[in-house]
Amino acid sequence: MSPALRKIVLPVGTFLSFLLGWQLLSEALDVPVYLLPSPLDIYEGGGKLGPAILSNTLETLKTILLGFVCACAVGIPLGVVVSVNRTISEMIYPLIVFLNAIPIIAIAPILVVIFGTDMTTRLIIVTLTCFFPIMVNTAAGMMDTPKEMLDLARVAGASRMGEILSVRLPSAIPFIFSGLRIGVTVAVVGAVVAEFVNANKGLGFLVTSSTAQFAIPTATACVVILAVISVVLYEAVNWAHRAFFGWSIKTKAGE
Amino acid sequence: MIHATPARAAHSEAEMPSGEPRREPIIELAHAGVIFATSKGDPLVAVEDMSLTIYREEIVSLVGPSGCGKSTVLRMLAGLQQPTSGDIWIGGGKTRRGFSEVAIVFQRPTLLPWLSVMDNVLYPVKVLQRPTKAHRSRAMELLELVGLQDMAERMPHELSGGMQQRASIARSLILDPKILLMDEPFGALDALTREDLQLDLLDIHAETRKTILLVTHSINEAVLLSDRVAVMSARPGRMQDLVEIDVPKPRGAESAARPDFLALSQRIRDDIFGPRTGRKGRRA
Ligand SMILES: Nc1ncnc2c1ncn2[C@@H]1O[C@H](COP(=O)(O)OP(=O)(O)OP(=O)(O)O)[C@@H](O)[C@H]1O
Ligand SMILES: [Mg+2]
């Protein structure tokens, strides 16, 4: 088997066997569907929603992606700023650590009261959940810039800004992408929390509403879709890294 | 401190060998010293009481045992390290305009991995302005000079270590600097490329009359390329000897067989290791 094929066949095989084992076990032990639905139950539960499942998935995806973009727009510049300016760093880092320390599930209902029940609130929740890893990794990457490259920029006469843009930021790319990979999966969690407390559509909303009606297989189907979204987005970030910043992967492997 | 005017011009005039036409100083180190604070607490004296005047259009080599502070001297002149005592002065333009004034080739290639070889060579331009067509064709010429014309669009990680160093030499020349600081530029190269580039450097110098300060581990290279060789002693690094190289120019690979070449090499070797007959003398 070729290595590329192995990478697909092995995990898919494991996954299918897991599903099969689960199905057989829940039939053999006759597990009640409200306790633990079998894969087929889940499939049927999802099917019951019909086309609604698609529109709700798209709604959640919208929340995740917009929130993630906001988190990048906040996290990357913040990471740059705290890494290059000591005073600003000392001023705002504690505040940011504090913001990140707030349990998002606890503050989400309060945010709904403050900002209302529309998309804005959901975006705030998603941004708050996932900007931190993006920021911290960006800052770490900026500080990790090899000293020789900074020396080069200085002798070449680069301004402070030129140094940041021409050397520090590009050399932080691998770190920034580590942050984005973590951030995008956390954004999924943030979106679900947002929909738990404040939505009348979306997969998070479907999970709560189906559970309330004891439609456990339907709720589980939504959870499965969320997991798939998470994996797909993670791989999408990976793909973007390879496609647009291939040099930063090859140099790492080459060293 | 870096002065805007020669701190010790009178002193440097006095140092000039008599009978030579008037030479114009461009770099001056006056009792310059660098002391590093170390993590252990006791300060490390990297360079001590270093005085050296380098004149326009001259090639000076800096030789000495590993760790004696050669790179530190170069970093001082590049503006990357402040002397903790003494003065340094660099002539030339009023404002330091990056690589067009003082360019440096580091001991390691230091190419930016996200830029193609061509863009790396153009980096010193891009820091100051938008590269023009003329800059691009100059970059291509320089890549040809160092034998990398086919690699212009490659990324640095696709190049061997020696090729990367050659690209960084091309980069140092892109803005036609008045002063070129080179920290063991040929150290990582194979013997053949090394010889080739040494002679290229002589050609470049003959053509452009740059002032070059070259750190090297090779006594042969120092004698072949230099007008003067500054020998530094081991820690604390200080000037031990300043050797005038009067081997006639133009020099080539065959110069190395001349008796005066060999005598000068031997003198530098003696400066570094102390005069000795065999290896036993090393401790003395
Ligand atoms: N940033 C620094 N902090 C502390 N010590 C330093 C620093 N840079 C250099 N040194 C020390 O200063 C001394 C001189 O270093 P330098 O790199 O100038 O030597 P060198 O002559 O270039 O050696 P080599 O030939 O091996 O390149 C060394 O002992 C080194 O450990
Ligand atoms: Mg060195």
Side-chain angles (χ1 to χ4, degrees), chain B residues 83-135:
Chain B
T84 49
S85 61
D87 290 321
I88 63 175
W89 170 83
I90 291 180
K94 278 255 181 294
T95 49
R96 306 269 300 267
R97 286 267 296 168
F99 267 33
S100 61
E101 282 298 322
V102 178
I104 188 164
V105 177
F106 292 102
Q107 207 163 346
R108 291 200 275 164
T110 322
L111 298 182
L112 302 176
W114 52 89
L115 297 180
S116 68
V117 170
M118 177 56 120
D119 287 335
N120 264 290
V121 173
L122 287 171
Y123 177 77
V125 183
K126 284 192 261 182
V127 166
L128 304 174
Q129 65 178 96
R130 236 190 144 72
T132 61
K133 258 219 166 79
H135 286 125

Side-chain angles (χ1 to χ4, degrees), chain B residues 71 107 183-184:
Chain B
S71 297
Q107 207 163 346
D183 197 347
E184 292 177 44

Side-chain angles (χ1 to χ4, degrees), chain B residues 88-200:
Chain B
I88 63 175
W89 170 83
I90 291 180
K94 278 255 181 294
T95 49
R96 306 269 300 267
R97 286 267 296 168
F99 267 33
S100 61
E101 282 298 322
V102 178
I104 188 164
V105 177
F106 292 102
Q107 207 163 346
R108 291 200 275 164
T110 322
L111 298 182
L112 302 176
W114 52 89
L115 297 180
S116 68
V117 170
M118 177 56 120
D119 287 335
N120 264 290
V121 173
L122 287 171
Y123 177 77
V125 183
K126 284 192 261 182
V127 166
L128 304 174
Q129 65 178 96
R130 236 190 144 72
T132 61
K133 258 219 166 79
H135 286 125
R136 289 185 180 280
S137 58
R138 176 72 184 139
M140 206 58 216
E141 273 172 39
L142 289 168
L143 284 174
E144 263 163 47
L145 176 72
V146 297
L148 289 178
Q149 61 277 16
D150 301 331
M151 298 289 170
E153 295 314 317
R154 300 290 188 87
M155 298 305 275
H157 67 87
E158 299 173 295
L159 269 58
S160 72
M163 288 162 128
Q164 292 185 18
Q165 187 64 342
R166 283 186 271 154
S168 82
I169 293 171
R171 175 178 64 192
S172 73
L173 295 169
I174 185 74
L175 281 175
D176 197 20
K178 295 197 182 65
I179 299 173
L180 185 53
L181 306 172
M182 306 181 94
D183 197 347
E184 292 177 44
F186 312 133
L189 303 180
D190 62 283
L192 297 175
T193 316
R194 187 180 178 122
E195 221 167 90
D196 214 27
L197 283 179
Q198 285 170 347
L199 298 180
D200 282 340

Side-chain angles (χ1 to χ4, degrees), chain B residues 36-37 44 46 65-72 107 184 217 235:
Chain B
F36 289 112
L44 186 145
S66 180
C68 72
K70 304 181 294 294
S71 297
T72 307
Q107 207 163 346
E184 292 177 44
H217 270 144
R235 263 183 287 159

